[in-house]
Amino acid sequence: MIVCEYRPGLEGIPAAQSSISFVDGQKGLLEYRGIRIEELAEKSTFLETAYLLIWGELPTAEELAAFEDEVRHHRRIKYRIRDMMKSFPESGHPMDALQASAAALGLFYARRDLDNPVYIRDAVVRLLATIPTMVAAFQLMRKGNDPVRPNDDLDYAANFLYMLNEKEPDPLAARIFDVCLILHAEHTMNASTFSARVTASTLTDPYAVVASAVGTLGGPLHGGANEEVIQMLEEIGSVENVRPYIEDKLQQKAKIMGFGHRVYKVKDPRAMILQNLAEKLFAKFGNDKFYDIAQEMERVVEEKLGHKGIYPNVDFYSGLVYRKLGIPTDLFTPIFAIARVAGWLAHWKEQLAENRIFRPTQVYNGRHDIPYTAIDQR
Ligand code: CMC
């Protein structure tokens, strides 16, 4: 047995061998299956990228058309899931609603046929197709409205915005949203992917795999950071307040949301693409004062923390884009989940291909040989 030193957060410790994505944190490089993220963001679509991640190669035109068709025809959610969601408290966080709904899907497909490629493909299609419908349905139902049925004439991104806003989106908005999904689809061994792989390694069903990953993504140090970025920009309120706000936070040794990354020590390449997309949106739909605040924040944080390798991460600009698309702040993380399902499923498949159950060890630092004290003597 190899014994290595304990590292909090398992920093630098490989948890799997993977050919799905690659990050060079010093160069600011991200590849999915060897293809640069910038190229995918420019030329691909989310569903094509999901196919690439999950099956390892770009699909042919026929393969892509068949895949898109399958996803399109599985978008509706079962009425029992919808009824269950209706009974969720409207004050609940949409990530909790999504986690419960994804897990509930497993109740309908209890048979685990993990050696069967048809079972695998069905689960992939069903999860990619229904997660956006669940997110949109919860959003409408918590407002007291009925969910909108998916529109088969619209592609993946446009249909989600349609189900959410009850009207067809502007084509630029839909394309930009699709690119956001590409950017968030996969990112090596992050916390939620690790969680997905640990769950997958027990050979449970893919719905439990996705539900556990959704739960992990929700925290403010992971996917939840994009919501906190918007709250922070609102709290700052003006460009003049940026510097005192940051100085105050740093004095309190608090983290600035949307900055820093375990792997990237330069600006996250996804943040650069998102910043560009935000600018396109502002050019078409009008400027946003929060963008000016964000740019000033980037300048001040770089000045104060650049020497530690702290730069904007993916969450810093994604919130600004979603806000401009009219998406409520507490849906930002569920949208991250819609995209990341592709990565989780790719890791689920990869884990199954060479599975060994995760069972790490620990460094015990507790006591030994303590006598049991009777309750009346404590
Ligand atoms: N603001 C201020 N200081 C920071 C920040 C930040 N956002 N991030 C890291 N640092 C400092 C930290 O204080 C520490 O300084 P020192 O060495 O002097 O004690 C040093 O940088 C290393 O920080 P760490 O917390 O040990 O780094 P980590 O690799 O454990 O954490 C992180 C990475 C992303 C959790 C952290 O940077 C953070 O909390 N950022 C804010 C939350 C955020 O934006 N999260 C989204 C992450 S990207 C998307 C995702 O993975 O979901």
Side-chain angles (χ1 to χ4, degrees), residues 221-223 225 250 254-262 305 308 310 313-315 336:
L221 296 186
H222 193 6
L250 294 183
K255 295 270 175 70
I256 318 282
M257 286 295 140
F259 288 86
H261 199 277
R262 175 66 61 80
L305 296 172
K308 283 193 194 174
I310 311 284
N313 59 47
V314 67
D315 288 326
F336 192 157

